[in-house]
Amino acid sequence: QMSKDGNYAITFGELKDPQRRGVLYSVLPSKEFQASKYEQMVTFWQGAVKQACIDHNIITISGDDIRRLFVVDGLAPMCASDILEALRERGIVSTCEEVTTQPDGWGSWMWQTIVKKPLSWSLGMLARPAQGAPNKDSDRMYVLNSSLHEKEAKILDHYKRPENNLVLGYDNFLSSITQQVCSVSSPSLSSSFGVGAAGEAELIALHLASTKKVVLFEIPSDHTAPRKGVKILSSKNGVDVSDLDLNVLRLRMTLEDLEAQASRLRSEIDTSNAKARQYVQSKQRSLASGYVRRSKQLQVLCDRKLGPINNIRAIIDEIEHAEMNKQVVEAYRRGNETLQQALKQTPIGEVDDLMDGIREAFADQAEVEEAIGTQVGGAMEDDADLEAELEQLVREAEASQKGPSSPTNVLTSAPLVPAEPLPEVEDTEDEDINVALENLSVHSPK
């Protein structure tokens, strides 16, 4: 964040020390002869440039931008442009031309005609010129690769949502990029660095096209200048722009134009109504009547727009529904082909033969188990002798059961009985009962 006095550089701890700042602001030494100092300076500025881009929500930066951001007491880094080239060698940054280059020439054309802006004015924005003349490449724009990739990923995630269209106008696409990832918390600062939010949106769009994540195309027209469109590539759609894509985009653009016209008409209606109320309050009836009449005329025009708007929306919905049905049918077709191919690899006859073989294998296994369970080595005794011995054991068991029986529950020994009679015990409980009865009879009424 910017410090209270507007000096961004002193938010970095190492730059608060004038001696250390002097070293880091000096000319970048030779990598071969002063490797240690070179490494220290490049490492510091690598972190500082990344942090500056994050703090200002920008992905582009030039040597002039570094000089302006890090000026302290009129002194600016003399090594700014050389530092960016060193970071380029490390793959930390790329030039805008490298980011937007693609075979069909769109990138080069877009960069020269739309994105690239004269940046020599940037030095004049300082209150006082910074010491250390910039070299000839000080206004060359570089792109911070990590921030570029992060913002691209956010844009693509946004268009993965089912409610978002995968084919849309180029202007709408740029507007979406600006809203999603290029909005700035401090426009007064960020608009003066890099190529600005609009330019960075262009860079992101062109890099997505150069990496084959989107397709940029033109929509031919017989009556107006060609309009540009974008197709977000995904697993659900092809890499080519089909006639269906073009026709749907034409419908959407027509819908957008009608909605914009209806919005302007509603704004004019609100203005006319406000004027009419104003003149009614000032008792200027004739003027108020004119604005009321104007409001009604505009309302008629606005209502005429609503019919086509609703119709085009319905057509687009039906087209999308039909396209979804097409995808479902295609999925069925591919599923059926895959199933048929799988069945061809396993014919029914082979399956029957396989099952017969399995049954025969089980039968053979049962015979093997039966053979394994058969007694080997011959019988040790004759079966008749075994039967006789078994009968003898049975007779002995029956004889033991038929022996003299003794009565059940007979005590084997009687309890000891005292030789002399036991003394009698008076039953005190019966006496108590008798006394109670006597008392009741005495007190009972006669």
Side-chain angles (χ1 to χ4, degrees):
Q1 300 296 326
M2 297 290 287
S3 60
K4 292 183 179 180
D5 60 359
N7 196 337
Y8 179 74
I10 63 174
T11 61
F12 292 83
E14 289 191 67
L15 299 182
K16 293 180 180 179
D17 179 15
Q19 184 176 0
R20 178 62 176 162
R21 186 171 64 242
V23 173
L24 294 173
Y25 278 28
S26 62
V27 176
L28 187 66
S30 169
K31 183 178 181 180
E32 289 76 15
F33 300 107
Q34 293 179 286
S36 177
K37 183 179 179 181
Y38 175 91
E39 183 65 25
Q40 290 180 8
M41 290 182 65
V42 173
T43 300
F44 168 80
W45 283 111
Q46 177 177 325
V49 168
K50 283 186 175 181
Q51 191 61 46
C53 290
I54 292 172
D55 290 342
H56 295 83
N57 194 27
I58 56 177
I59 63 173
T60 54
I61 195 167
S62 67
D64 287 342
D65 293 330
I66 294 177
R67 290 165 53 79
R68 292 166 50 213
L69 277 169
F70 291 91
V71 63
V72 179
D73 297 331
L75 298 177
M78 300 177 65
C79 57
S81 298
D82 292 333
I83 285 293
L84 287 174
E85 276 300 314
L87 295 181
R88 181 188 177 194
E89 291 178 3
R90 293 188 173 191
I92 305 300
V93 300
S94 302
T95 65
C96 290
E97 293 86 349
E98 290 170 341
V99 167
T100 58
T101 298
Q102 51 181 330
D104 57 10
W106 256 72
S108 175
W109 172 83
M110 192 70 71
W111 171 252
Q112 294 296 333
T113 59
I114 298 178
V115 182
K116 189 174 183 180
K117 297 177 175 62
L119 299 173
S120 58
W121 51 265
S122 59
L123 288 177
M125 296 188 67
L126 289 175
R128 45 184 178 160
Q131 181 177 335
N135 61 33
K136 61 181 180 180
D137 293 328
S138 61
D139 64 344
R140 188 177 191 180
M141 280 293 164
Y142 294 81
V143 180
L144 184 62
N145 294 328
S146 59
S147 294
L148 173 66
H149 297 153
E150 288 175 5
K151 294 193 174 189
E152 287 180 343
K154 187 175 181 180
I155 285 294
L156 294 176
D157 287 341
H158 171 73
Y159 282 101
K160 287 179 181 178
R161 301 172 189 170
E163 67 271 16
N164 295 319
N165 300 318
L166 297 181
V167 181
L168 65 160
Y170 186 69
D171 291 339
N172 286 345
F173 186 52
L174 295 182
S175 176
S176 175
I177 294 176
T178 302
Q179 293 175 3
Q180 291 292 319
V181 297
C182 294
S183 58
V184 294
S185 57
S186 181
S188 62
L189 293 173
S190 301
S191 60
S192 62
F193 296 115
V195 297
E200 290 190 352
E202 295 269 7
L203 283 173
I204 292 173
L206 294 173
H207 187 254
L208 287 172
S210 67
T211 53
K212 306 303 181 184
K213 295 181 176 66
V214 304
V215 174
L216 306 179
F217 59 92
E218 289 186 344
I219 306 171
S221 175
D222 297 334
H223 307 290
T224 61
R227 300 176 70 173
K228 296 178 177 61
V230 177
K231 182 176 182 179
I232 313 296
L233 300 182
S234 70
S235 58
K236 297 180 180 179
N237 55 15
V239 297
D240 296 326
V241 180
S242 64
D243 290 339
L244 177 64
D245 295 331
L246 292 173
N247 292 330
V248 170
L249 187 53
R250 287 191 183 99
L251 285 171
R252 288 202 179 106
M253 288 182 169
T254 302
L255 178 61
E256 292 167 2
D257 293 341
L258 288 172
E259 289 176 338
Q261 294 173 12
S263 178
R264 286 194 297 269
L265 288 172
R266 284 192 291 270
S267 178
E268 292 183 25
I269 291 170
D270 293 339
T271 302
S272 297
N273 289 336
K275 288 285 187 180
R277 284 191 294 270
Q278 177 182 347
Y279 285 119
V280 167
Q281 292 176 357
S282 62
K283 301 189 182 303
Q284 294 177 288
R285 186 177 181 83
S286 59
L287 292 176
S289 176
Y291 278 104
V292 169
R293 186 178 296 107
R294 174 61 177 167
S295 177
K296 290 184 177 295
Q297 292 172 348
L298 293 173
Q299 187 62 54
V300 171
L301 294 176
C302 186
D303 293 340
R304 289 177 181 174
K305 304 289 183 184
L306 296 179
I309 287 174
N310 293 331
N311 291 338
I312 292 177
R313 284 177 179 169
I315 292 172
I316 292 175
D317 290 342
E318 289 299 323
I319 291 175
E320 291 177 346
H321 183 67
E323 184 66 16
M324 181 57 65
N325 290 340
K326 178 182 176 182
Q327 293 179 12
V328 171
V329 172
E330 179 65 16
Y332 287 165
R333 184 185 66 79
R334 292 185 178 182
N336 180 58
E337 290 177 354
T338 303
L339 181 59
Q340 294 296 335
Q341 291 175 359
L343 291 175
K344 288 179 180 178
Q345 295 174 2
T346 53
I348 298 298
E350 291 184 7
V351 174
D352 290 339
D353 295 341
L354 179 61
M355 295 307 297
D356 290 340
I358 292 174
R359 284 190 287 268
E360 291 177 1
F362 273 100
D364 293 342
Q365 178 65 16
E367 294 179 2
V368 170
E369 291 180 352
E370 182 179 359
I372 291 174
T374 303
Q375 186 175 359
V376 295
M380 296 180 65
E381 295 184 9
D382 188 27
D383 290 343
D385 295 338
L386 292 175
E387 288 293 334
E389 186 176 351
L390 181 59
E391 286 295 332
Q392 180 64 26
L393 293 174
V394 170
R395 284 193 297 270
E396 290 177 359
E398 291 177 349
S400 63
Q401 293 178 358
K402 292 178 181 181
S405 61
S406 58
T408 60
N409 300 328
V410 176
L411 295 176
T412 57
S413 63
L416 296 175
V417 180
E420 298 180 358
L422 295 174
E424 296 182 0
V425 180
E426 295 181 357
D427 191 351
T428 58
E429 183 178 0
D430 292 341
E431 291 180 359
D432 293 338
I433 294 174
N434 292 332
V435 172
L437 291 175
E438 287 294 334
N439 291 335
L440 287 175
S441 62
V442 171
H443 297 91
S444 62
K446 295 182 180 179

